[in-house]
Amino acid sequence: MGYPPSEWPEPIVPVQSLSNSGITEIPSKYIKPPIDRPSLDFFHNSETDLYIPVIDISPLINGSDRTDEAMHAISHACKEWGFFQVVNHGVAPDLVQKLRAAWREFFYSPMEAKKAYANYPKTYEGYGSRVGVDKEAILDWGDYFFLYLLPESTKNLNKWPELPPNLREITEEYGEKVMKLSKMLIKAISTSLGLDENYMLRAFGGDNIAGTLRVNYYPKCPQPELTLGLSPHSDPGLITVLLADEHVKGCQVKKGDLWVDIKPKTGAFIVNIADQIQVLTNAIYKSVEHRVLANAESERFSFAFFCNPKGDMAIGSAPELVSPLSKPLYEPITFNEYRLYVRNKGPLGKSQVESLKAA
């Protein structure tokens, strides 16, 4: 059964309200099948565990003689992990702390104040808990606020919280700084493949490349072994720049058959390749599944900045990256069409990008 794009299939219950109610067992609609549940034995990495690469990108910003070293590190990370952390990235720590404080204040505001910004499936913009309109989907243990930041024409300030008073200004400044960082990283990724540094930016929409922000709030969960803060998925866009919680880890990336904890470096951003780069590079660089654990002891905040293609541009494998002995792996599709999948189904591993494979 389909649902109008303005409606969710059932009333939305914020996870924060469930957590604050003092329940000792989570509702059945949040309980994952046994095969999808996290193993508590692997909640913490041992000294022998794997770690995603950490890259100093100051040479890319300053144009120093270590630029080639940084480019090589990015290329290696994209091939081997699809994830990496960047340090010395140029985004001021003071701005980051102001962003954390402003949004923490919003999520701590009365529930009715937050519900005034409730979102709907058509755009997702605003305050919500659910991803996908499939009524049979098992839900995740988290709330979020989703915003369109860039280009300016996509921004709807009526959906932006008015309180705290500095939230809008701080969020706009943060979006501009992280978009600048994202474009620099996309140039580096393009160059690392032997393409012109602006090839990917042109292919994905130039000045019309979009920036959106999802502020994630994961309240305490009484049974974290039965659910997830966010189910396994790859991101649909170009790249994601994540500002993780500074105190509580919870994000894991899939490496082979293992789920590896990401241990955020102080002051770092976590960057991951998303589906559209996998498509454009003909799977030379691949997006990678990741997920978020629930936590019984601590709440957790994170900020995911999604850099996405212009919505109406058809994206397929770049001819320059398809060898004479191979063929394009993916059918071209616009991002507007592509993202409807997750808006209908919610996060479902890598099934979305795999569905594009050419016959």
Side-chain angles (χ1 to χ4, degrees):
M1 176 181 177
Y3 294 89
S6 61
E7 297 179 6
W8 296 108
E10 56 192 353
I12 298 296
V13 179
V15 172
Q16 186 179 13
S17 65
L18 294 173
S19 179
N20 289 346
S21 71
I23 60 172
T24 57
E25 297 181 353
I26 62 175
S28 60
K29 66 178 62 178
Y30 294 91
I31 298 177
K32 307 293 182 183
I35 194 172
D36 295 332
R37 295 174 193 170
S39 170
L40 293 179
D41 293 337
F42 295 101
F43 268 26
H44 302 285
N45 282 354
S46 69
E47 292 180 0
T48 59
D49 277 328
L50 301 168
Y51 296 89
I52 68 169
V54 179
I55 303 172
D56 178 359
I57 60 168
S58 59
L60 300 181
I61 297 172
N62 303 327
S64 77
D65 55 7
R66 292 177 52 236
T67 298
D68 287 348
E69 181 183 334
M71 294 285 292
H72 176 76
I74 289 173
S75 176
H76 177 78
C78 290
K79 287 178 182 176
E80 297 299 320
W81 283 91
F83 263 78
F84 53 96
Q85 297 191 59
V86 295
V87 295
N88 298 322
H89 44 66
V91 180
D94 180 60
L95 175 61
V96 167
Q97 292 306 320
K98 287 179 179 177
L99 182 82
R100 293 187 198 274
W103 280 100
R104 189 179 297 271
E105 185 174 340
F106 170 79
F107 276 98
Y108 286 174
S109 64
M111 188 58 67
E112 290 308 309
K114 294 193 286 285
K115 285 185 175 180
Y117 300 98
N119 70 348
Y120 298 96
K122 185 175 182 180
T123 66
Y124 271 91
E125 192 165 18
Y127 175 67
S129 300
R130 191 184 189 105
V131 179
V133 295
D134 184 352
K135 190 174 182 179
E136 305 305 315
I138 299 172
L139 303 181
D140 291 330
W141 193 263
D143 299 329
Y144 64 85
F145 203 106
F146 184 80
L147 289 173
Y148 291 89
L149 298 177
L150 294 166
E152 289 290 330
S153 59
T154 65
K155 191 182 299 180
N156 178 9
L157 289 177
N158 291 328
K159 277 291 187 180
W160 289 47
E162 295 182 355
L163 296 174
N166 61 349
L167 183 145
R168 291 184 176 184
E169 179 183 355
I170 290 168
T171 304
E172 284 186 304
E173 182 181 355
Y174 179 82
E176 291 168 1
K177 299 294 186 186
V178 179
M179 176 60 90
K180 182 179 178 181
L181 170 64
S182 299
K183 288 184 174 181
M184 182 183 69
L185 291 171
I186 291 170
K187 285 183 177 182
I189 292 168
S190 188
T191 304
S192 75
L193 290 159
L195 301 171
D196 174 80
E197 72 168 5
N198 290 310
Y199 184 100
M200 284 191 173
L201 291 179
R202 290 194 299 268
F204 291 129
D207 291 338
N208 290 307
I209 286 177
T212 63
L213 182 69
R214 177 174 153 141
V215 184
N216 301 301
Y217 175 50
Y218 303 104
K220 294 179 184 179
C221 177
Q223 294 178 300
E225 71 279 7
L226 298 181
T227 190
L228 288 165
L230 188 58
S231 294
H233 65 286
S234 59
D235 293 336
L238 304 180
I239 64 172
T240 301
V241 179
L242 179 73
L243 174 64
D245 193 286
E246 56 191 332
H247 301 299
V248 183
K249 68 178 182 178
C251 186
Q252 293 184 322
V253 58
K254 198 169 190 180
K255 179 69 169 172
D257 294 327
L258 299 176
W259 285 103
V260 178
D261 285 347
I262 296 178
K263 295 186 176 181
K265 290 284 186 183
T266 302
F269 285 119
I270 299 166
V271 179
N272 65 273
I273 298 297
D275 292 345
Q276 302 307 309
I277 284 185
Q278 176 169 329
V279 170
L280 188 83
T281 67
N282 212 38
I284 296 172
Y285 292 165
K286 297 177 182 177
S287 60
V288 177
E289 282 186 78
H290 48 289
R291 68 182 186 182
V292 177
L293 302 179
N295 191 306
E297 304 298 326
S298 303
E299 64 185 10
R300 183 174 176 271
F301 287 89
S302 68
F303 301 79
F305 181 90
F306 302 107
C307 190
N308 295 327
K310 185 174 182 286
D312 59 1
M313 291 183 67
I315 297 168
S317 301
E320 294 86 346
L321 299 177
V322 179
S323 76
L325 299 178
S326 65
K327 63 179 183 179
L329 295 177
Y330 304 99
E331 298 286 353
I333 190 174
T334 69
F335 186 64
N336 283 343
E337 295 172 293
Y338 187 79
R339 62 185 170 189
L340 289 177
Y341 184 100
V342 72
R343 289 183 175 179
N344 287 327
K345 301 291 186 180
L348 287 174
K350 290 200 65 176
S351 58
Q352 182 175 10
V353 71
E354 295 302 318
S355 71
L356 292 185
K357 284 194 170 177

